[in-house]
Structures are given as C-alpha cells and as structure tokens.
Amino acid sequence: MARPVNYKRAVLLAFLIFITLAVVKATVSQGWQLSPLGSAARDITGPLQGVAMKVGQGVRGVFSFSLGLVKMSRQNQEYRKRIEELEGSLRIYQEYALENQRLVALQNFKSATANPLGFDTMTAAVVGRDPGNWFGTITINRGTLDGVAVNMTVITPAGLVGRIISVAKNTSEVLLITDPRSGVGALLQQTRAPGLLQGTVSTRGRLQMVHISSDIKVEEEQVVVTSGTGSLFLGGIPVGSVSKSGREPAGLFNSAEITPYVDFSRLEEVLVVRGTRQAEGDALSIVLPPWGQGRIPSGSPGSIRAGEEGAPAGQGDGIVEEPQGRNRSPATGAKKPGQGSSGNVIPQNQGPPAPANQDSGQPAAPGGSGGQGVPVTPDTGGRQTNPTHPENLPAEPGQGTIVPGTAG
Amino acid sequence: MRLLAMLGLILLALFLQITVLNEIMLLGVKPDLLLMLVVFYAFLRGPREGGFLGFTAGLMADLAIGRYIGLNALSYLAVGCLVGLLESKLYKESSIIIVVLTGAASFLGQLVYYSLLAYSGIYVSPMTALSVMLSSSVYTALLVPLFYKKFHRSSTRGWLSGRET
C-alpha cells in the first residue's frame, strides 16, 4: 500500500534546496574575487578556525610528546647503560694508565739506579696486607718459582721497604721496616754515623733510629741510608729523613725519629732484589742521590744473618773494591773483629730466617758491635751531600750531585 | 644457619680487613671489622656465644696472618666474654650505647693484644701503643652506626635469628 505523501515536508525540502541554490548563486564569485557573503563568512569563521587549529596542534603535541617520552625514556635507559659501561671502561683504562705510569717509573728506576748499583731486581705486586694495626707485613705475588728467597731486600724507587721473611711457591711475605719486629743497620748520610733503625708500629709510619753516637749532632732532614755493614740489607739504600732527634733515655746515645721515604700505606708494586753484582765503575756518577750514598752494595742480600760468625779479623772486611774517587768514611768502615763480610757470599736461601728482633747485623746493636760509639769524622769527601728526597730528584740520570773524581 | 651466616660474615670481614680497608686508613689505622662483629654478636647473644665467636674469629685472623697464632684469638675472646656480660644489662636498640660499647671493647681488645705482644717479646713503646689503641677504637666505633641496625634486625628477624644448628 502506497504511503501518503507529506506535502508539508516536501515543501519545506524544496524551500531549503531553493535557498541553498540561491546562496550558491550568491556566493559564486567572479574569478577569484570573494563574494560579499563569502567574505563575511570567512571573516566570521577565520578566528574560530585559528583557535581550532591551535587546539588541534596542542592535542597533537600532547600525543606526540607522550609517545616521544616513552621513546626517550627507552633511549635514556640505553644511554645510561652505555654511559655506565663507558665509565667502567674508562675507570679500567685509568687504572691501567696509572699502573703503567708506576711500572714505567719502576722500570726507569731499574735502568737508571738499580742496574748501575748492581742490583738484580724483579718487580712484584702487593696482593695482601696484615689485617691488624700492629704488625707491618705485606704479601707479594712472587715466590720460589720466581727465584725469591728468604731475607732478600725489598725496595721501591723511593727507598727501602723491608725484607722477605717467608716464601711460598707463588707468594712471599715481606716484613716492612716499620714493623716493631724489624731492625735495620743504618747510617746518617752526612755524618756517616751508624745506628739501628727500629720499627715502631706499622701504621704509625715512623722509625726510631737508636744507638747513634752521642758526639754526633743529629739534625732534622738528615738523610738515613742503610749501612750494609754486616746486615741482611744491602748498603746505600735510602730509608728516610730525620724528623726529630733526642737522647736515649739511658743518656749514652742519641736517638732520632725517622720519617721513611716510602709511603707504606700506598704500596702497590715493589722491587725484590734477587742478588747483586759488581756495581758499574761510574755508578755513583749516574745514580741519583741519596741512592748509593752508604756503601756500594755488594755480596748477596740476606747472606749474613745476625749473630753469624763472619770472616776472621782482617779478612774480607766486607769492603768491596770501591769505584775510583769514592771515599769510605771511618764510620762505615768500622767493623768489629770477626764480623761478617758482605763480600763473603753465602747462598741466599740457606738456613732458616733470622729470628724476630735480629733482622740486621746492626753495626750498633745493643751490646756494642762495630761502629757503636766510635768517634766518627763527617765524610764530606768533596761531595755534595745535601739531603734530597728521591721523589724530588730530576728524572734524567746523571744529574746527581756527585761529580766523578771529586771525592777523595 | 646462624653459625654459618656468622662464619660467612667473619670471612668477609677478614677479607676486607686484608684488602680494601687499607685504602680507608685514618691517622694510620684501619677499623677493626672483626671486632665489631664480635661485639655485636656478644652484645645480642651473651658471654658464652660471644666468647666462642670471638675466639673463632680471632683464630681465623691468626691463621690468615700465620704467625703468633692465638694473639687475636685471645683478645677477641676477652672482648666477646666481657661484652656478653652486658647483654642483659643494657638497652639493645640504642645506637649510642653500642657505639660507646664498641669503642671501649676495641680499646680493651687492643690492650689485651698489646699485653700479649709484650708477652711474646715484641716491644712497642707505650705511647705509640696508646695512640694506636685510641685511634683504632674511635675509628671502629664511628663505623658502628653503619652496620648495627642491620645486624640487629637480622638477629631478631633475619638470617641471624635462627636456632643454633
């Protein structure tokens, strides 16, 4: 059945179409010219369009920013991870660089100082320390397999560190000179006055030099070197400088507090002196002081233990042939009869290690061994003997203060 | 479980003592982490367990050094026993109390150690020894707040709270 036509709607639709056509007709422009109606419409809607555009851009910005944030966050994480990796690598490289610097310094020292003095040295790394605050021992990563033996001297470019007291296959234990059980025969460099260096407590980083003859004036900043006289330690190794001087409680001898050159809390690499050979003839002209200012190192480290019988009096007095122009002071030469000679070499690792408190053959050991209380003539010998810290010395070998041939 | 955990802590402390603690030395001394462990444990568990742990920790330190075996064992034993006696007498939650207690115990432990050094024939001048004792005790005590809360919590609710195996 046909649906009845709604005339009202049809008329309304026709009217709407007619109006629209009329508007179309009215807004048709000539060429690109806006009609008045189109112009009015644009003027009205223009600002609205602007607002709408800005809102749209804002909304798009919010969406893109959020999406960007997620992306940036991911990138940020990756970058951070990368930065951490790179920083880790950088730290490792810095560590290598520092280690390299230290090893180069050790190598320079070996070629410029240790070799001319006749030291056969070997580099070792410190791998452990005594856990307490009282004793001063370190463990190094060299043992019998590397030729290390008990009583070998341990040094750094700055000076004396200590000596080997026990050896395993791959590690060794070093008794630092600051350990209260340690004793080292030593000399005041300028006056050649002998004395005995005793450790106090390792962590204090100080040494006590005792049994210095009372007629010797001990002044601050004087350099102390190992005497090498009948000692387990090689001679001529700088130990430290005098920081305080005084009289022993008994009043018979002078004593001094020594600040060691070596920073024992920062030891990382050391040199083990495996043996010695004849020093080069002009060693003292190229070695930087205070190295070699005691005696020319001789014999074998650890060859003589405290209390051992040495050569008969008058034989092998331990004074090796010294280079031309080199003076030996009465103090360093003073040895009691029968005292051992560093020239009489005993194979290094024979016999047990020395007992505690007898580390050195101490020229000035209690009870009066060689050199103790002997009037000593200061050894100037034409040499300049200004105390000089090894760290402050010029880097080039041969710039030392000793002029060949001027001594004696 | 608790003993195993304590053994692990002792080994860790000993390892740190031998290696990295040398890098944080103040006035030439390093803190005594082993003693700190002994004090904590003894303070929370009493003299018997404290003394036992002190002796064990000290013995391990002595074995690590390899010489004069017994020096640390005896000094830590004394610390463990004496601190343990205060277990029921002092308030355990207070950091101040444990700081002071650790400082005093450290000084006492070092004093025993010093006496044993003299007994072993190793002479250290009294003034030097005193300065080492004081600085070491203060340094160790100052580090206590970093560790005590965690240790206490673990002793009451954590790994260290279990029954003895």
Side-chain angles (χ1 to χ4, degrees):
Chain A
M1 202 171 152
R3 199 175 170 183
V5 179
N6 190 336
Y7 290 104
K8 268 188 175 177
R9 282 189 181 179
V11 170
L12 196 60
L13 182 64
F15 180 72
L16 189 64
I17 292 170
F18 175 76
I19 290 293
T20 307
L21 287 173
V23 169
V24 169
K25 187 70 180 173
T27 54
V28 168
S29 57
Q30 299 294 321
W32 293 106
Q33 277 290 33
L34 278 175
S35 67
L37 192 58
S39 177
R42 180 167 298 182
D43 285 345
I44 292 167
T45 57
L48 292 175
Q49 278 182 338
V51 172
M53 281 288 285
K54 282 187 179 170
V55 170
Q57 282 173 350
V59 170
R60 192 177 59 194
V62 166
F63 277 108
S64 63
F65 180 69
S66 305
L67 291 172
L69 268 186
V70 173
K71 193 179 172 187
M72 276 191 294
S73 170
R74 201 177 299 128
Q75 276 182 337
N76 194 26
Q77 280 181 342
E78 286 170 10
Y79 289 149
R80 281 189 178 188
K81 198 174 168 189
R82 185 81 185 125
I83 287 171
E84 279 174 13
E85 285 174 3
L86 291 173
E87 280 180 344
S89 304
L90 187 64
R91 277 192 288 271
I92 292 171
Y93 292 141
Q94 282 171 340
E95 193 59 31
Y96 281 141
L98 289 172
E99 186 181 5
N100 191 40
Q101 281 176 9
R102 293 196 304 270
L103 291 176
V104 165
L106 279 181
Q107 192 56 42
N108 287 343
F109 169 76
K110 278 172 83 167
S111 55
T113 304
N115 288 343
L117 285 173
F119 290 162
D120 173 20
T121 56
M122 174 178 56
T123 310
V126 177
V127 294
R129 284 171 180 275
D130 188 286
N133 285 318
W134 296 87
F135 293 139
T137 56
I138 56 172
T139 307
I140 57 173
N141 66 345
R142 301 281 190 178
T144 48
L145 293 180
D146 304 291
V148 178
V150 166
N151 288 335
M152 284 182 171
T153 302
V154 181
I155 59 176
T156 68
L160 183 66
V161 172
R163 68 181 178 90
I164 305 283
I165 52 170
S166 65
V167 194
K169 271 188 179 175
N170 294 305
T171 58
S172 306
E173 193 179 7
V174 179
L175 182 75
L176 303 179
I177 54 172
T178 50
D179 188 289
R181 298 165 291 178
S182 170
V184 183
L187 292 173
L188 289 170
Q189 182 193 327
Q190 287 174 300
T191 59
R192 321 307 292 175
L196 174 64
L197 278 175
Q198 295 176 328
T200 51
V201 168
S202 175
T203 50
R204 294 288 93 178
R206 291 277 192 279
L207 298 163
Q208 198 71 26
M209 188 168 179
V210 296
H211 304 319
I212 306 168
S213 182
S214 57
D215 56 351
I216 298 294
K217 193 176 179 189
V218 183
E219 291 174 345
E220 288 185 14
E221 300 302 320
Q222 279 184 326
V223 175
V224 177
V225 297
T226 54
S227 67
T229 312
S231 169
L232 289 172
F233 293 94
L234 297 165
I237 301 173
V239 180
S241 59
V242 175
S243 53
K244 205 188 290 180
S245 61
R247 208 96 161 131
E248 282 186 21
L252 293 175
F253 296 102
N254 285 334
S255 67
E257 188 179 278
I258 310 298
T259 304
Y261 289 141
V262 175
D263 182 358
F264 291 94
S265 63
R266 295 280 177 271
L267 279 177
E268 291 184 78
E269 287 93 18
V270 294
L271 293 170
V272 180
V273 185
R274 284 186 296 191
T276 56
R277 57 183 180 279
Q278 185 68 45
E280 291 173 11
D282 59 347
L284 295 176
S285 66
I286 59 173
V287 168
L288 302 174
W291 278 94
Q293 298 292 296
R295 297 154 56 87
I296 288 289
S298 61
S300 170
S303 59
I304 297 171
R305 294 188 296 274
E308 271 188 348
E309 285 297 320
Q315 290 181 22
D317 63 354
I319 303 160
V320 294
E321 191 179 343
E322 297 190 354
Q324 197 177 9
R326 171 91 178 143
N327 254 3
R328 181 168 60 82
S329 79
T332 53
K335 300 189 69 168
K336 71 175 183 179
Q339 192 172 19
S341 157
S342 54
N344 292 343
V345 178
I346 299 170
Q348 290 177 17
N349 46 3
Q350 276 186 3
N357 287 336
Q358 293 185 15
D359 293 352
S360 68
Q362 311 107 347
S369 57
Q372 178 178 313
V374 177
V376 179
T377 308
D379 177 21
T380 52
R383 284 182 290 118
Q384 292 178 337
T385 51
N386 288 335
T388 315
H389 193 287
E391 288 177 1
N392 299 330
L393 294 172
E396 287 296 315
Q399 294 180 1
T401 54
I402 302 170
V403 181
T406 57
Chain B
M1 188 65 193
R2 187 170 70 212
L3 277 186
L4 279 179
M6 282 309 298
L7 193 66
L9 283 178
I10 290 170
L11 286 174
L12 177 66
L14 193 56
F15 175 75
L16 293 176
Q17 205 87 29
I18 292 171
T19 53
V20 291
L21 285 196
N22 297 292
E23 306 302 320
I24 57 163
M25 289 208 286
L26 279 182
L27 298 173
V29 297
K30 50 190 167 190
D32 194 341
L33 295 184
L34 273 180
L35 181 127
M36 202 188 287
L37 270 182
V38 173
V39 170
F40 290 176
Y41 195 77
F43 188 49
L44 298 172
R45 298 281 167 191
R48 195 166 141 268
E49 288 188 46
F52 174 72
L53 187 92
F55 186 80
T56 309
L59 195 61
M60 288 170 79
D62 288 330
L63 290 175
I65 299 166
R67 286 171 206 280
Y68 307 107
I69 291 171
L71 280 187
N72 282 305
L74 288 176
S75 52
Y76 288 163
L77 170 69
V79 167
C81 288
L82 289 172
V83 171
L85 289 175
L86 301 172
E87 178 222 355
S88 57
K89 296 183 175 60
L90 295 173
Y91 182 55
K92 292 194 177 64
E93 309 283 336
S94 166
S95 292
I96 305 277
I97 288 177
I98 191 70
V99 165
V100 174
L101 186 64
T102 306
S106 175
F107 188 84
L108 178 89
Q110 306 265 9
L111 196 64
V112 173
Y113 193 93
Y114 178 63
S115 310
L116 291 171
L117 279 184
Y119 169 76
S120 309
I122 300 165
Y123 174 76
V124 177
S125 81
M127 287 312 292
T128 310
L130 188 66
S131 71
V132 170
M133 287 179 208
L134 281 174
S135 43
S136 168
S137 306
V138 170
Y139 194 6
T140 306
L142 287 177
L143 290 186
V144 165
L146 294 179
F147 304 106
Y148 181 65
K149 291 266 183 207
K150 282 183 182 168
F151 191 91
H152 184 252
R153 200 179 309 126
S154 183
S155 300
T156 49
R157 295 191 292 273
W159 280 30
L160 302 174
S161 63
R163 286 176 167 277
E164 208 145 357
T165 53

